[in-house]
Amino acid sequence: MSFVSRYLDPNLVERLNHLALSARRVVEGTTTGQHRSPLKGSSVEFRQHRFYTPGDEPRRLDWRVLARTDRPYIKEYDEETNLRAMLMLDGSGSMGYGGKSGAKLDYAARFAAALAYLMLGQTESVGLALVGSKTSEWLKPHGGPSQLSRLIDVLERGSPSGPTSLGTALHECADRLDRRALVVVFSDLLLPVDSIATGLAHLVHDRHEVILLRVLDKDEAEFPFKNWSRFRGLEGERPQLCEPALMRQTYLDNFGNHRDQLKELCRAMKMECHELFTDRPLIDAVTGFLSRRAGK
């Protein structure tokens, strides 16, 4: 199996060819795309056609092409600018957890590859950062067909290990992005909320749009364990032998409180936060996420 086919299932690619990812806010870019530019100008020269996707304005349809081909296409002009996106993947040890559905990092990587394929197909620019105890990989946003191969090559080298330093990585991302962008963060976010709050605030202050995609295994949300078990920390914590029945309610209470803190943080900063469970088919998770974006 090739690297590309491992991360991009043909059935998913077929679905992606009829979908789109848009930015809520005004973004900056350098080439033609489907997003409003913050730069004002008089250039409205025709650049290219793009296949119609739900959410496009009907007035931009090229009716002559529709009549000739029976397929809806949108006219794009030079005053429009592309979306710049930065995908950040948490590669810390806890992202290696996984039951029958596989590791969380693998699920996140395949989701990220799907978004990259989609955006690059829309002439957007996409970059990638792998984050563990430090930012181990940084692929600057670029467009073009070859960027997908570079991105998947970085994903292939990712391996979950060590503690996370996501808060520091968020600050670093804000410092390294020279123009406004859509920043998509893939992480289980199993860390104190305060440790990422200032990094997220830095991105929002610099007028980037931020989406948190929280990747979880169902075990982490439901704590289904019943027999005496030895729980081993994946980020350097000491193993502990526990009776699950005695700690289940305490764990669920703590998990719920942490989830509420994340929701409140995102509400205060006007960011999206979506939970992705690894037992859900990836094609359903990706199309569901894009549908929610398009419906807002």
Side-chain angles (χ1 to χ4, degrees):
M1 179 183 294
S2 70
F3 288 169
V4 173
S5 61
R6 174 188 168 188
Y7 290 99
L8 289 169
D9 179 83
N11 293 327
L12 176 58
V13 168
E14 177 62 27
R15 293 280 293 275
L16 291 173
N17 288 335
H18 300 285
L19 296 169
L21 175 63
S22 63
R24 295 270 179 262
R25 303 173 184 172
V26 177
V27 296
E28 294 175 358
T30 56
T31 62
T32 299
Q34 63 173 328
H35 310 280
R36 287 188 300 130
S37 170
L39 306 176
K40 302 300 181 181
S42 58
S43 173
V44 290
E45 295 183 5
F46 173 74
R47 168 85 177 221
Q48 65 181 14
H49 284 98
R50 174 176 58 77
F51 194 74
Y52 173 86
T53 56
D56 288 329
E57 298 179 18
R59 65 183 178 85
R60 298 173 58 198
L61 280 168
D62 190 324
W63 297 102
R64 292 183 180 180
V65 173
L66 178 62
R68 187 171 65 251
T69 66
D70 199 31
R71 301 189 71 184
Y73 282 88
I74 293 293
K75 292 181 179 180
E76 290 186 334
Y77 297 88
D78 283 338
E79 70 172 355
E80 296 177 303
T81 183
N82 73 319
L83 168 68
R84 288 168 52 83
M86 194 67 200
L87 309 177
M88 297 185 67
L89 266 71
D90 179 357
S92 61
S94 65
M95 291 292 286
Y97 183 81
K100 297 179 180 179
S101 304
K104 292 181 288 184
L105 182 59
D106 184 65
Y107 192 88
R110 289 186 291 123
F111 200 114
L115 293 188
Y117 172 85
L118 177 65
M119 291 184 284
L120 289 168
Q122 297 171 182
T123 69
E124 320 289 20
S125 297
V126 185
L128 174 68
L130 285 181
V131 180
S133 57
K134 61 180 181 178
T135 301
S136 58
E137 299 278 357
W138 177 273
L139 183 62
K140 186 178 179 180
H142 280 291
S146 60
Q147 182 70 351
L148 182 63
S149 295
R150 288 191 289 266
L151 187 145
I152 288 181
D153 184 58
V154 172
L155 291 175
E156 185 68 21
R157 295 197 297 270
S159 178
S161 63
T164 184
S165 185
L166 185 58
T168 301
L170 293 169
H171 282 293
E172 183 180 350
C173 180
D175 289 336
R176 296 179 75 165
L177 288 172
D178 55 356
R179 288 194 296 274
R180 292 158 67 183
L182 173 66
V183 180
V184 185
V185 181
F186 294 84
S187 173
D188 52 21
L189 298 174
L190 295 176
L191 71 173
V193 175
D194 290 346
S195 69
I196 60 171
T198 57
L200 292 172
H202 189 173
L203 286 165
V204 172
H205 177 268
D206 288 352
R207 298 187 295 173
H208 301 294
E209 180 176 357
V210 183
I211 300 175
L212 298 181
L213 295 182
R214 191 181 191 195
V215 184
L216 295 168
D217 188 281
K218 273 293 179 64
D219 290 352
E220 295 166 324
E222 298 176 355
F223 202 78
F225 311 104
K226 296 180 180 180
N227 300 320
W228 277 88
S229 304
R230 186 177 297 278
F231 293 93
R232 179 174 59 88
L234 297 176
E235 298 190 11
E237 302 89 347
R238 296 179 60 184
Q240 294 188 25
L241 183 64
C242 302
E243 165 54 78
L246 297 177
M247 61 180 295
R248 184 172 189 272
Q249 193 56 52
T250 299
Y251 172 88
L252 292 177
D253 289 344
N254 290 337
F255 184 87
N257 290 335
H258 182 266
R259 176 186 272 165
D260 291 341
Q261 291 176 34
L262 278 173
K263 289 181 179 179
E264 181 56 35
L265 176 66
C266 292
R267 187 180 304 113
M269 295 189 183
K270 298 181 179 179
M271 295 182 305
E272 290 185 46
C273 182
H274 303 280
E275 287 188 346
L276 306 173
F277 287 98
T278 56
D279 64 337
R280 186 181 185 189
L282 187 71
I283 191 169
D284 294 338
V286 174
T287 55
F289 165 70
L290 294 172
S291 297
R292 287 194 299 272
R293 292 280 295 177
K296 287 190 177 180

